[in-house]
Amino acid sequence: MEVCYQLPVLPLDRPVPKHVLSRRGAISFSSSSSLFGAPDPRQLSQRRGAISYDSSDQTALYIRMLGACVVFKQLFARDVRVRSQVGFEPERRSSHPYLCIDFRTLHTRLSCGSSPADSGTEKRVHRLLSFQRYLHSSRLLRGIPQQIPLHILDEDYSGQARCMLEKVGNWNFDIFLFDKLTNGNSLITLTLHLLNQYGLVDLFQLDMVKLWRFLVLVQEDYHNDNPYHNSVHAADVTQAMYCYLQEPMLSKSLTSYDILLGLLAAATHDLDHPGVNQPFLIKTDHYLATLYRNTSVLENHHWKSAVGLLRETGLFSHLPPEDSMNMERELGSLILATDISRQNDYLSRFRTHLDQESLCLSNASHRHFVLQMALKCADICNPCRPWELSKQWSEKVTEEFFEQGDIEKKHKLQVSPLCDRETNTVGNIQIGFMTYVAEPLFGEWARFSDTRLSQTMLGHMGLNKASWGGLQPEQAAVSEETEPSAAGADAGGSRSKEIPQGSGES
């Protein structure tokens, strides 16, 4: 069967929405062939991640399968991005003049009608995963059969990526390498693999098309121009969550429902993160801060965004409404637990349970609390990774801090703590974070689950802390060298900074 989905045609004088151009990682349903022919060079220049768009018609989308062709003349005009049907307010920019973050438009109304200029013959648009997929199609045209079809990964890298997935429970798992091998689709590929590995797709009778679309939308909603809060971070947290779910204390007690909830929460826990923290949203009077009354602003937004995608794709529409609502509510409870401002509340409760030995994992509420703690650990586990990985994450999160500070300086706002690149270094930020946040949390987790993994994490954190301490004099010397030149540039009135949109950290 050959299925062609055609998105509504936009007038030529209207720009194509950013979310349409930036969608990536979508599924290719080819079975033994993907006979699209050679793409026009102009189309190659318009490729955005997983989709190749024709320069003259950037709204048509085709998914091929063998056999007869069924053409859906219209996909719902709001099918690409609909939030009104799920009961959430549409995203919009803050009216505050200082806010220079490009929040994605989550509510776009597309016109179904076509103008006279659009009446010409529509060109087919290639649905290729990457240029390697086009080369594979060319080989099929020359009569070379496909050996092992794998529609998630580029053919040239699929073997290496599959080899990595076989070791997905290894704490040394290199998510940066995996993201490259999957052509930037690490979150989609990893999450789908884990759901299949646990047999959750069959157990919960999840529709594969709906599941794939959900994961594609989740990955797209992460802002990959953020140095830290992007889809790679979400994939890293999901992999860490899997490692914790494999721990004996959890693997023997958690139900399939708990595991599904934990993996979905890990994949969506920072969904649509703007790259700045909650205090920034509050002091710029952003509407999200008002909407959630300055309480767990980002976490509430991540949760509601995830629920919106669940409803938009209908992933759980086959379940009884009560079960679906419970799933959404418990998903929110997990995501809200990642609010770092509530760290002491969760840690005190966890410590009390351990002191009194009152955790009973046969109790559903206690299992849910342990899932909350596991997700909190997964979210901030970067200091516990091997140095080669931990150092990269430390530099990325600090750069997001500094970019927020640059925005605040540009608009003469008070610079948030840790966000001034002239007075802070990666090392002192990381040492402080490990001392006051990571070490207490992972120390209690090791009491709960005293395993080889827990000791490995604590060992890595100790070594990483010592490594940053050793780099401190070097970083301080670099800072002292740059400050005079920066001061001179300020005195001359010649220093200016271009601040990219969507930067910062929470």
Side-chain angles (χ1 to χ4, degrees):
M1 181 180 66
E2 174 178 343
V3 182
C4 302
Y5 292 99
Q6 180 178 346
L7 296 176
V9 178
L10 294 175
L12 294 179
D13 58 346
R14 289 179 58 188
V16 178
K18 179 180 178 183
H19 61 264
V20 176
L21 290 176
S22 64
R23 189 176 301 277
R24 61 190 301 179
I27 191 170
S28 171
F29 284 96
S30 58
S31 175
S32 62
S33 65
S34 179
L35 306 180
F36 291 106
D40 188 285
R42 294 174 299 174
Q43 295 171 343
L44 293 178
S45 65
Q46 296 294 326
R47 192 177 306 281
R48 292 296 185 274
I51 296 180
S52 174
Y53 289 94
D54 180 79
S55 57
S56 62
D57 181 7
Q58 296 171 317
T59 59
L61 173 63
Y62 291 86
I63 301 176
R64 277 180 162 260
M65 298 179 70
L66 292 179
C69 177
V70 179
V71 180
F72 293 89
K73 294 298 183 182
Q74 288 184 348
L75 199 60
F76 296 112
R78 291 169 292 179
D79 189 26
V80 176
R81 220 74 191 123
V82 176
R83 293 296 170 93
S84 62
Q85 295 180 355
V86 300
F88 296 127
E89 288 293 326
E91 294 287 356
R92 58 189 181 277
R93 292 178 184 270
S94 169
S95 59
H96 197 284
Y98 291 151
L99 186 62
C100 52
I101 305 167
D102 186 13
F103 285 94
R104 295 188 174 197
T105 303
L106 301 182
H107 184 76
T108 303
R109 298 182 179 274
L110 302 179
S111 173
C112 293
S114 59
S115 63
D118 299 325
S119 60
T121 303
E122 298 177 0
K123 297 181 180 180
R124 288 194 171 187
V125 179
H126 300 176
R127 180 76 167 177
L128 303 180
L129 189 62
S130 68
F131 189 65
Q132 282 77 14
R133 181 64 63 183
Y134 159 66
L135 295 178
H136 173 65
S137 301
S138 299
R139 289 195 289 270
L140 288 175
L141 287 172
R142 296 196 299 270
I144 303 175
Q146 181 179 5
Q147 299 296 326
I148 303 176
L150 184 63
H151 314 300
I152 302 174
L153 311 176
D154 290 351
E155 180 185 345
D156 292 354
Y157 298 102
S158 62
Q160 299 178 61
R162 280 200 302 269
C163 183
M164 289 193 68
L165 285 175
E166 292 175 359
K167 302 178 180 179
V168 69
N170 191 323
W171 189 248
N172 298 336
F173 190 86
D174 189 342
I175 196 65
F176 298 109
L177 175 59
F178 186 72
D179 191 62
K180 294 177 181 178
L181 293 177
T182 56
N183 195 32
N185 296 311
S186 57
L187 181 57
I188 298 173
T189 309
L190 180 68
T191 307
L192 186 61
H193 172 78
L194 295 178
L195 293 175
N196 276 313
Q197 181 164 305
Y198 277 112
L200 300 175
V201 176
D202 293 334
L203 184 61
F204 289 92
Q205 299 180 338
L206 301 180
D207 183 283
M208 279 301 297
V209 175
K210 292 179 179 179
L211 175 59
W212 185 270
R213 183 164 179 260
F214 171 74
L215 294 177
V216 169
L217 292 177
V218 167
Q219 180 171 273
E220 178 198 286
D221 267 6
Y222 279 95
H223 302 194
N224 284 334
D225 53 351
N226 290 344
Y228 182 79
H229 285 110
N230 50 46
S231 62
V232 183
H233 165 67
D236 184 63
V237 172
T238 304
Q239 189 271 336
M241 189 67 169
Y242 171 72
C243 292
Y244 300 149
L245 295 178
Q246 292 293 101
E247 291 286 80
M249 289 287 290
L250 279 71
S251 63
K252 293 185 298 185
S253 306
L254 296 181
T255 66
S256 297
Y257 177 84
D258 296 328
I259 294 171
L260 175 63
L261 200 63
L263 292 176
L264 291 181
T268 60
H269 79 285
D270 273 332
L271 193 60
D272 199 35
H273 196 294
V276 292
N277 58 20
Q278 175 174 295
F280 183 91
L281 297 179
I282 293 175
K283 68 184 175 185
T284 55
D285 195 26
H286 193 268
Y287 89 97
L288 285 177
T290 304
L291 178 63
Y292 298 117
R293 300 180 181 180
N294 299 342
T295 304
S296 299
V297 175
L298 288 170
E299 290 73 26
N300 272 294
H301 177 58
H302 305 325
W303 167 35
K304 295 301 177 64
S305 297
V307 170
L309 293 185
L310 286 174
R311 296 185 183 181
E312 179 181 343
T313 58
L315 183 60
F316 297 129
S317 60
H318 62 290
L319 299 178
E322 183 178 352
D323 292 346
S324 181
M325 291 296 294
N326 286 337
M327 177 79 74
E328 293 174 359
R329 182 168 55 253
E330 293 189 20
L331 181 69
S333 177
L334 290 179
I335 294 176
L336 289 173
T338 63
D339 185 354
I340 200 70
S341 67
R342 300 178 61 193
Q343 174 87 349
N344 289 336
D345 296 337
Y346 284 94
L347 191 58
S348 297
R349 182 182 168 192
F350 194 37
R351 186 179 290 118
T352 300
H353 275 301
L354 296 177
D355 291 341
Q356 299 176 355
E357 299 182 356
S358 57
L359 274 177
C360 178
L361 296 185
S362 60
N363 184 308
S365 63
H366 285 196
R367 290 199 307 272
H368 187 77
F369 176 67
V370 169
L371 276 180
Q372 290 177 317
M373 299 306 299
L375 183 58
K376 289 179 67 64
C377 289
D379 188 27
I380 62 170
C381 71
N382 303 147
C384 301
R385 297 284 191 179
W387 171 251
E388 295 77 13
L389 300 176
S390 180
K391 184 172 182 290
Q392 293 184 66
W393 285 120
S394 299
E395 291 169 345
K396 290 177 181 294
V397 72
T398 306
E399 180 57 29
E400 198 164 289
F401 278 138
F402 290 164
E403 288 187 1
Q404 175 179 324
D406 293 343
I407 295 174
E408 291 167 333
K409 289 179 182 179
K410 178 179 179 180
H411 296 291
K412 297 180 173 56
L413 296 171
Q414 182 179 0
V415 178
S416 300
L418 309 180
C419 293
D420 192 339
R421 68 174 72 243
E422 296 178 1
T423 59
N424 294 281
T425 64
V426 179
N428 62 35
I429 291 175
Q430 289 305 306
I431 290 174
F433 181 77
M434 293 181 198
T435 302
Y436 299 107
V437 179
E439 286 179 348
L441 177 62
F442 285 96
E444 297 302 322
W445 180 262
R447 287 180 61 198
F448 165 71
S449 178
D450 187 9
T451 63
R452 181 178 179 180
L453 174 59
S454 296
Q455 298 306 317
T456 298
M457 292 191 298
L458 291 177
H460 282 315
M461 181 157 51
L463 292 174
N464 294 337
K465 187 175 180 180
S467 297
W468 284 119
L471 292 175
Q472 281 292 83
E474 179 181 340
Q475 292 182 343
V478 172
S479 299
E480 290 175 0
E481 291 177 2
T482 56
E483 283 178 3
S485 60
D490 286 338
S494 60
R495 188 177 76 170
S496 63
K497 295 182 180 179
E498 293 297 327
I499 308 302
Q501 293 182 338
S503 57
E505 150 69 359
S506 88

